[in-house]
Amino acid sequence: MGRAGRRYSHEGAWLLAAPRALAEILSVKDISGRKLFYVHYIDFNKRLDEWVTHERLDLKKIQFPKKEAKTPTKNGLPGSRPGSPEREVKRKVEVVSPATPVPSETAPASVFPQNGAARRAVAAQPGRKRKSNCLGTDEDSQDSSDGIPSAPRMTGSLVSDRSHDDIVTRMKNIECIELGRHRLKPWYFSPYPQELTTLPVLYLCEFCLKYGRSLKCLQRHLTKCDLRHPPGNEIYRKGTISFFEIDGRKNKSYSQNLCLLAKCFLDHKTLYYDTDPFLFYVMTEYDCKGFHIVGYFSKEKESTEDYNVACILTLPPYQRRGYGKLLIEFSYELSKVEGKTGTPEKPLSDLGLLSYRSYWSQTILEILMGLKSESGERPQITINEISEITSIKKEDVISTLQYLNLINYYKGQYILTLSEDIVDGHERAMLKRLLRIDSKCLHFTPKDWSKRGKW
């Protein structure tokens, strides 16, 4: 497999693949007498899943799953399986306390530099259920501690509850997507029509996102499609970068096609065919041929949990170029105009979590380093003030300060300590961050969506 140390399995069987990488086989197909196995690498993201030949599998080392104990019966009727006391206790106590005290949101904290190397960030957050590459709030899981799902939200959460996962939805079903001048290899399952999943390439119009089964179909469509930008209102333009606001009710077809495309690269979100409760903000790059989609984020028209982002995605050809942070920054600029604080809907993908953690860190450090002392005393700022300036929700501000290991408790007050390493690292990062939102170029008027007539 070429992935030493990775584990992989098929419909329950676990195979040890060379060089000693365990795989789960999800499906088998026969093409011209040649068997192919669809494998999932255990403990790794599903975007690494792939079809492999039997030569890459060590079929002598198959591990079959242990059968679960049968449900005991009482008076001939099925009863409840007794829970393991050890498991129950573990589930309940697996909550790690914060490494530092949580400051009051209104208590001022002094900010001063610290000489010497930065200490390692060790702030673990409450609710952590499994290990992650990043520290912070429990953004990898929204499971309740007692295993009981919360009541469904009427306004339209996009979080996938995993209750309907099966072998089909665990497997990538689209081989390749052609979008404008790019060919994209999907990472995850997306519910495109089944007749399209057998095609070697799925062709999409890059302006209206309508899908076709062949290049000829796409070319015929392009002669009739007069769109050269996403439908909706252009609310931001600076240089070649533009943002378009799309109403999920007024532009239902485009919004649904956008969700289908995005689902190819988002594993933790489900698909909403009813796009009415959502607004979509599409970022584009302009050239002589039109406005080409780079990425997007969606948000609920009404959110009871202060979510300012439901789904967020930068398409693979544009990743690692600063566009992800630009999307995040734009979402907070909208929150500033609305006079609200916001947070993204959890769980975030691994890449989304990295982007948000980096954005929060840079934004908060920018505020702290810009503070000036008055009357020779150390500058002071509260959590509430940071939240109001940045529109970042207070919980995210606190978790980021803990992640950066900046909070210290000294002589009855909270101190934010900026080490030389933190300052130097921040300055280097900001030199690389060339793309920024210019609030002067934003033309946005928020609506009161509580009046359903505006939907």
Side-chain angles (χ1 to χ4, degrees), residues 48-117:
L48 298 175
D49 296 359
E50 59 183 336
W51 289 97
V52 300
T53 59
H54 75 277
E55 290 89 350
R56 295 174 63 184
L57 302 175
D58 187 351
L59 299 177
K60 297 176 182 178
K61 298 182 179 180
I62 298 178
Q63 299 178 23
F64 290 98
K66 295 179 181 179
K67 292 184 178 179
E68 293 186 5
K70 291 184 178 179
T71 303
T73 59
K74 186 177 182 179
N75 298 329
L77 299 174
S80 300
R81 182 181 300 160
S84 164
E86 182 180 351
R87 185 185 303 120
E88 293 297 324
V89 170
K90 183 177 180 183
R91 183 170 60 186
K92 289 179 182 177
V93 302
E94 198 172 2
V95 176
V96 183
S97 298
T100 56
V102 177
S104 166
E105 294 161 1
T106 55
S110 298
V111 184
F112 65 93
Q114 174 195 4
N115 294 325

Side-chain angles (χ1 to χ4, degrees), residues 18 39 94 161 163 166 225-226 266 340-341 393 413 424:
V39 296
E94 198 172 2
D161 63 4
S163 61
D166 54 26
C225 181
D226 55 359
L266 295 172
K340 301 176 181 177
T341 59
K393 203 171 183 179
Q413 68 173 341
D424 292 343

Side-chain angles (χ1 to χ4, degrees), residues 174 177-179 184 186 189-193 196 202-213 218 221 225 227 229-231 246-266 270-276 278 280 282 293 295-296 298 311 313 315:
I174 303 295
I177 291 175
E178 183 169 305
L179 181 69
L184 315 177
F189 171 89
S190 182
Y192 279 101
L196 303 179
L202 180 62
Y203 294 89
L204 267 62
C205 171
E206 64 175 325
F207 299 113
C208 72
L209 303 183
K210 185 176 180 180
Y211 45 84
R213 59 185 305 114
L218 175 64
H221 165 79
C225 181
L227 275 182
H229 59 76
I246 294 120
D247 189 322
R249 181 183 68 84
K250 295 179 180 177
N251 298 282
K252 193 181 292 286
S253 177
Y254 180 89
S255 300
Q256 290 175 349
N257 288 336
L258 179 60
C259 287
L260 282 170
L261 173 62
K263 186 64 186 70
C264 291
F265 307 99
L266 295 172
T270 187
L271 182 73
Y272 246 119
Y273 285 104
D274 179 14
T275 58
D276 288 19
F278 295 95
F280 298 84
V282 178
I293 181 171
Y296 89 105
S298 59
C311 289
L313 172 70
L315 291 174

Side-chain angles (χ1 to χ4, degrees), residues 153-156 277-279 299-307 340 447-452 455:
R153 296 168 52 229
M154 302 306 293
T155 50
F278 295 95
L279 295 168
K299 64 184 291 186
E300 293 179 79
K301 294 174 180 176
E302 294 182 274
S303 175
T304 56
E305 290 90 348
D306 296 326
Y307 292 139
K340 301 176 181 177
K447 296 180 181 177
D448 181 9
W449 295 104
S450 61
K451 300 175 182 177
R452 292 302 172 102
W455 280 41

Side-chain angles (χ1 to χ4, degrees), residues 45 47 133-134 140 188 268 348-355:
N45 195 288
R47 63 173 169 265
N133 294 330
C134 297
D140 298 321
Y188 308 110
H268 296 289
L348 295 166
S349 66
D350 53 351
L351 298 178
L353 176 57
L354 287 172
S355 295

